[in-house]
Amino acid sequence: MCGIVGVTGRAPALPLLIDGLRRLEYRGYDSAGVAVLIPASALPSPGAADPASGIHESAQPRYVLSRHRSVGPVSRLAALLPDTALLPDTVLLPDAAPAGHGTAGIAHTRWATHGAVTEANAHPHVDAAGRVAVVHNGVLEDAARLRRQLLAEGEALASDTDSELLAVLVARAQRAGSGPEDAVRAALAGLHGTWGVVFAFADHPDVLVCARMGAPMVVGLGRAPGGDPRHDRTLVASDPQALLPWTRRVVFLEDGDLALLRPEGAVFSRLDGARRRPQVRVLDTPLAQVELGAFDDHMDREIAEQPEVLARALAGRLAADGTVVLGGIDLPPRRMAALPEALLVGCGTSLHAARVGAALFARLADLPAHAAEASELALHPPRLHPDALVLALSQSGETFDTLQAVGELELRGHEVLGLVNTVGSSLARRCGAGVYLRAGPEVSVASTKAFSAQVVALTLLALKLGRSRGLPAARATALARALLDLPDALAATREACAAPVAGAAALLSTARAVAFTGRGLSAPVAAEGALKLLELAYLPAMAWPGGALKHGPLALLDARTPVVALVPDDETRAAALTGLAEVCTRGAPTVVLHAPGDADAAALATISLPVAAADPLVAPLLQVLPLQQLARGTALALGRDIDRPRNLAKSVTVA
Ligand code: F6R
């Protein structure tokens, strides 16, 4: 969950580290910190400790770890640092860096697991002598026992975190005579838990060591073949986005991997000491996609991008006659025809997309399908037919619960296909086959465009399965037309909803709680609308299938508990209108999503949100956008931080 970035090179490290943290801030933003190796000679009085900046000393050190940490956003940390405007390509002469600057360092933006949000708990952590610093993403098992043991053995600890223990263990191994790589290996060998971890060493100022177990870690190779060695730089991060401005050549670590980084390159090995041959990948993500441009926040940009995302997700995959080509899911027609059932797993927004997908598999392909919450499935995996189609959905490809569920399903002999957005992520590499969502990097913590891309991919898969399982050609052609028209229909919906959404957001911002309803295919979309609203606006928001309201939830309704109702033009419309009438009778204001000409629905709406008319099976893709706008608008009216809702982080890489 936390963001990690590290670099060792020949130029000032701080500008690059701070840039990396800014790019990763969406992964965790409770606190942030940085530690750079600086020559002791650059200190005000050489070798002296500087308590204000957290500089540590040992007898006559040549280099010291200069550490700065702060609670709050990266901008607050940056304000504490020496001038980071130094050009990152300025080559520094050894031992002649401007005050506070060094050429190697590690940095971290935190999402708290162990220990409250305080400066003392912010990373990097150092051992008591200040010779080893660590940034860590993950959770150590049995940390309480290890802490007691280390304290009993006379170690001093300064934080409540499990991560600090790593610095202490590595420093101990160093004192026992190990070099950096072996010290990390020795420390990690005895531990259980998850880590994406990077260490820096005051006694080896141009070396970083990183390792991975259950939390992502990617090494960036900055030396251009044949390039000027004075510009060598090797980087590491928890997410390739932090590396994009500096290098495109990366190596993703696998669980049990370790890497020793120097400016001129990296050496990869396994925890048991065996050497590993790295597979170098070249990232092709355009940098512009992660920048804000003219938008106010990343969520705004990502909502607006959806027509384009739909077009990308369809490109080259769907012909006008309904023929679907999904390169990564190339099941022979006979296997598709014989599939006994399907299971789709994911969390949060990905789970809502999975629910839409399961409904589409049932309708278009007559395939019994259900969607499962990954965290529950990992505890109690269902008994599935051995030939079941199993799919895992994830935007980040790093969600711990989803990866764990995939592990359980694989243990039971199932091949799991991935629907993943992030290229090269853990899930993408783990699933032998699957499709990429092509949504582009999603930065805002609240997922938007990934949902749309997932639903498109699932609709295509349902269509493909359907054609092998009796779906008539004419129906496939009609649906293909609706899908190909979607980008325009979505752009029209976005524009038509902009003004009424503003009114609806003003209404919701004074609410006590908000109820969402939808039936059939619209039920998971209503759930997604409620999730968006509660995570962004911090309002109690619940979703029920329309028919369930009268079995309890109606008791909630009053003038300050509005209902957001989805009334698509499909077989659920009549029942949805009946339910809506019951809501109006109870005096609750209503925000109703309906087709532009639906006068019956409009008559029951306090505020109408017009959703372009389309084939009912693509309606979820049109309904979700106004709900995203509504959540964002309400959160803005309440003064919330849109891209960084409290207590949350993008990529939930812990249990
Ligand atoms: C909600 C949201 C989360 C994620 C969930 C799964 O807006 O973003 O609910 O959908 O944490 O994440 P991925 O899709 O990365 O596995």
Side-chain angles (χ1 to χ4, degrees):
M1 322 254 316
C2 309
I4 286 178
V5 59
V7 64
T8 173
R10 320 232 186 257
L14 275 178
L16 189 150
L17 293 172
I18 294 301
D19 178 84
L21 285 188
R22 288 200 168 110
R23 288 173 193 279
L24 295 183
E25 200 170 13
Y26 69 103
R27 296 188 69 131
Y29 33 80
D30 295 341
S31 51
V34 60
V36 283
L37 279 310
I38 61 169
S41 57
L43 293 179
S45 95
D50 175 351
S53 68
I55 293 173
H56 300 260
E57 66 163 344
S58 71
Q60 304 296 316
R62 269 190 27 81
Y63 276 80
V64 293
L65 281 159
S66 166
R67 179 173 60 152
H68 298 267
R69 298 177 295 170
S70 98
V71 168
V74 173
S75 54
R76 199 173 300 165
L77 172 72
L80 303 174
L81 299 177
D83 181 14
T84 53
L86 266 184
L87 283 181
D89 278 328
T90 318
V91 176
L92 293 185
L93 297 173
D95 294 356
H101 278 284
T103 58
I106 55 180
H108 188 270
T109 172
R110 177 170 187 245
W111 186 83
T113 53
H114 281 59
V117 181
T118 61
E119 190 180 315
N121 287 337
H123 298 220
H125 292 287
V126 293
D127 68 305
R131 307 312 290 165
V132 174
V134 66
V135 287
H136 170 221
N137 179 8
V139 179
L140 297 185
E141 284 171 20
D142 217 8
R145 189 200 50 77
L146 181 58
R147 161 178 291 276
R148 283 194 301 275
Q149 183 190 321
L150 289 173
L151 287 171
E153 289 170 7
E155 298 288 352
L157 297 175
S159 78
D160 306 322
T161 67
D162 51 352
S163 310
E164 182 185 10
L165 310 180
L166 291 166
V168 173
L169 291 173
V170 171
R172 278 182 150 204
Q174 265 203 330
R175 288 201 297 273
S178 297
E181 193 181 5
D182 286 340
V184 171
R185 190 170 277 124
L188 295 180
L191 297 175
H192 296 284
T194 52
W195 54 78
V197 71
V198 190
F199 296 89
F201 309 86
D203 299 322
H204 304 273
D206 67 345
V207 167
L208 301 179
V209 175
C210 60
R212 170 188 165 129
M213 185 67 76
M217 202 75 319
V218 55
V219 170
L221 305 172
R223 172 176 233 179
D228 182 346
R230 288 180 310 155
H231 293 141
D232 281 351
R233 116 180 5 124
T234 306
L235 307 102
V236 60
S238 52
D239 184 323
Q241 285 196 32
L243 308 181
L244 288 179
W246 316 107
T247 183
R248 297 290 164 146
R249 298 173 62 241
V250 300
V251 176
F252 289 97
L253 298 196
E254 301 295 342
D255 284 350
D257 279 354
L258 191 135
L260 176 96
L261 277 48
R262 286 205 161 87
E264 61 274 20
V267 178
F268 297 85
S269 59
R270 302 284 300 160
L271 268 183
D272 64 9
R275 288 289 156 212
R276 174 160 112 66
R277 185 196 289 266
Q279 197 196 344
V280 179
R281 293 168 189 251
V282 178
L283 299 173
D284 59 3
T285 319
L287 190 56
Q289 282 187 355
V290 296
E291 277 161 7
L292 207 47
F295 291 91
D296 291 338
D297 48 74
H298 286 286
M299 186 184 185
D300 193 18
R301 180 178 60 78
E302 288 161 5
I303 291 174
E305 207 186 317
Q306 286 174 110
E308 215 180 289
V309 167
L310 296 187
R312 269 205 305 271
L314 291 167
R317 290 174 168 171
L318 177 66
D321 66 354
T323 306
V324 172
V325 180
L326 289 173
I329 304 185
D330 201 13
L331 305 176
R334 193 183 304 176
R335 164 120 200 260
M336 290 195 279
L339 284 172
E341 61 176 324
L343 173 72
L344 299 88
V345 292
C347 299
T349 291
S350 291
L351 176 62
H352 294 148
R355 291 200 169 122
V356 176
L360 289 170
F361 286 5
R363 285 175 194 214
L364 284 168
D366 194 20
L367 177 64
H370 71 278
E373 170 91 50
S375 55
E376 288 297 302
L377 182 138
L379 285 177
H380 303 291
R383 186 180 290 275
L384 289 177
H385 191 288
D387 296 333
L389 174 69
V390 183
L391 298 169
L393 281 76
S394 176
Q395 186 289 123
S396 61
E398 302 293 351
T399 300
F400 178 88
D401 291 330
T402 307
L403 287 164
Q404 206 184 26
V406 168
E408 288 298 325
L409 290 160
E410 284 174 348
L411 263 182
R412 284 157 181 76
H414 298 289
E415 185 201 0
V416 182
L417 304 176
L419 259 74
V420 185
N421 192 37
T422 307
V423 177
S425 58
S426 301
L427 187 62
R429 285 176 290 124
R430 175 155 198 164
C431 296
V435 292
Y436 278 121
L437 300 176
R438 301 181 183 168
E442 195 179 63
V443 173
S444 188
V445 165
S447 186
T448 52
K449 60 178 180 167
F451 175 89
S452 297
Q454 282 168 335
V455 173
V456 169
L458 289 166
T459 312
L460 290 176
L461 184 54
L463 190 51
K464 183 177 165 91
L465 294 171
R467 289 297 287 133
S468 295
R469 299 171 65 92
L471 183 74
R475 181 71 188 97
T477 308
L479 188 57
R481 199 173 312 121
L483 281 165
L484 294 168
D485 288 346
L486 260 176
D488 289 343
L490 192 62
T493 298
R494 175 170 173 256
E495 208 162 308
C497 284
V501 156
L507 173 72
L508 264 51
S509 67
T510 60
R512 251 178 349 119
V514 183
F516 286 72
T517 72
R519 304 179 78 118
L521 265 187
S522 301
V525 187
E528 174 59 8
L531 176 65
K532 285 290 91 89
L533 184 69
L534 71 85
E535 73 177 314
L536 289 174
Y538 320 149
L539 279 175
M542 298 137 283
W544 289 278
L549 286 182
K550 55 188 176 295
H551 299 291
L554 280 185
L556 267 181
L557 303 188
D558 60 19
R560 288 196 55 213
T561 309
V563 173
V564 179
L566 279 60
V567 185
D569 188 11
D570 64 10
E571 77 284 358
T572 67
R573 179 175 170 275
L577 287 174
T578 306
L580 195 53
E582 287 163 9
V583 164
C584 292
T585 310
R586 269 75 191 174
T590 58
V591 176
V592 186
L593 280 74
H594 59 77
D598 190 338
D600 296 335
L604 294 168
T606 312
I607 296 178
S608 281
L609 299 182
V611 174
D615 188 302
L617 294 192
V618 302
L621 287 160
L622 296 169
Q623 293 164 330
V624 76
L625 187 144
L627 296 183
Q628 297 162 347
Q629 290 177 317
L630 183 58
R632 178 177 173 275
T634 308
L636 275 177
L638 290 168
R640 312 296 193 218
D641 184 334
I642 299 299
D643 285 332
R644 286 174 291 189
R646 71 182 180 201
N647 302 338
L648 299 180
K650 196 107 182 134
S651 305
V652 188
T653 55
V654 293

